Amino acid sequence: MLQKIKILMPGPLKFEFVREGLEYYIDKIKKFVNIEALFPKVKIKESEKNIRIKKEEEVLKKHLSDKEYLIILDERGKTFKSFELAKKLENLMQNQAFITFLIGGPEGLSEELKRNAKEIWSISSLTLNHEIALLVLIEALYRSFTIIKGIPYHKE
């Protein structure tokens, strides 16, 4: 049975409107499940992509444990329609205690983190700014919970 959902992404958040939207949806989701969002700061001035990705990997791994069911968001991952996502989430809630969604920074995620994921999902075939991806994810999770609970929110 699901005990907690965690969303993990390199921080800090830069867009105020994303922070506001995140707080809005987290408050709504907390009625259904314990949820937290973590944005550990990655301190690096290096501009080389591979070095940035490796540094982010080191920081993000400190916030992951083996008991978590890790889902990575990537534009090449599996896509879902709203009802499919709700059904998938409902199934995971029955079979997993801790679900973690991991969103990479501007350069994406390391191949090692991707290999450690149980699943790779896509919220859009478009390449999105990682903060916008976060906002889309949190709204999609809320929409899924309302579908699961039969709360009028989703329109067909």
Side-chain angles (χ1 to χ4, degrees):
M1 222 38 186
L2 184 64
Q3 295 178 31
K4 185 177 193 176
I5 291 177
K6 178 169 63 180
I7 300 171
L8 181 61
M9 184 180 84
L13 291 179
K14 294 183 177 142
F15 299 137
E16 185 60 31
F17 73 93
V18 170
R19 189 179 345 265
E20 290 171 6
L22 182 66
E23 290 171 6
Y24 174 83
Y25 283 110
I26 282 180
D27 283 346
K28 289 184 162 295
I29 292 171
K30 281 184 176 178
K31 296 172 187 161
F32 308 115
V33 68
N34 184 6
I35 185 168
E36 74 172 332
L38 299 174
F39 310 105
K41 190 171 184 177
V42 179
K43 295 179 184 177
I44 185 165
K45 295 184 192 258
E46 179 62 51
S47 61
E48 188 179 326
K49 179 181 177 178
N50 291 338
I51 294 173
R52 290 190 67 79
I53 288 174
K54 188 65 178 164
K55 181 64 176 171
E56 284 181 355
E57 175 191 318
E58 292 169 10
V59 171
L60 293 170
K61 281 173 117 179
K62 293 176 185 174
H63 298 275
L64 295 171
S65 75
D66 291 339
K67 66 181 178 177
E68 295 168 293
Y69 191 88
L70 181 61
I71 300 170
I72 283 182
L73 296 183
D74 183 276
E75 66 205 39
R76 291 169 293 282
K78 180 170 175 40
T79 60
F80 300 91
K81 294 185 177 175
S82 294
F83 277 100
E84 294 170 337
L85 182 60
K87 186 152 185 67
K88 177 69 173 175
L89 185 60
E90 186 174 31
N91 184 279
L92 286 173
M93 289 168 54
Q94 293 170 358
N95 296 299
Q96 302 299 325
F98 303 99
I99 299 172
T100 296
F101 292 93
L102 180 57
I103 301 172
E107 303 293 345
L109 290 166
S110 71
E111 290 305 313
E112 181 180 343
L113 282 171
K114 289 178 185 178
R115 280 191 302 274
N116 290 335
K118 301 289 188 206
E119 299 188 41
I120 299 178
W121 293 3
S122 172
I123 53 172
S124 175
S125 58
L126 298 170
T127 301
L128 299 175
N129 170 287
H130 61 290
E131 289 192 36
I132 301 300
L134 167 68
L135 198 52
V136 173
L137 170 66
I138 197 75
E139 192 280 339
L141 291 175
Y142 174 67
R143 182 175 299 274
S144 292
F145 280 110
T146 63
I147 291 169
I148 293 165
K149 302 293 185 182
I151 298 168
Y153 176 77
H154 178 72
K155 311 279 191 284
E156 262 300 287

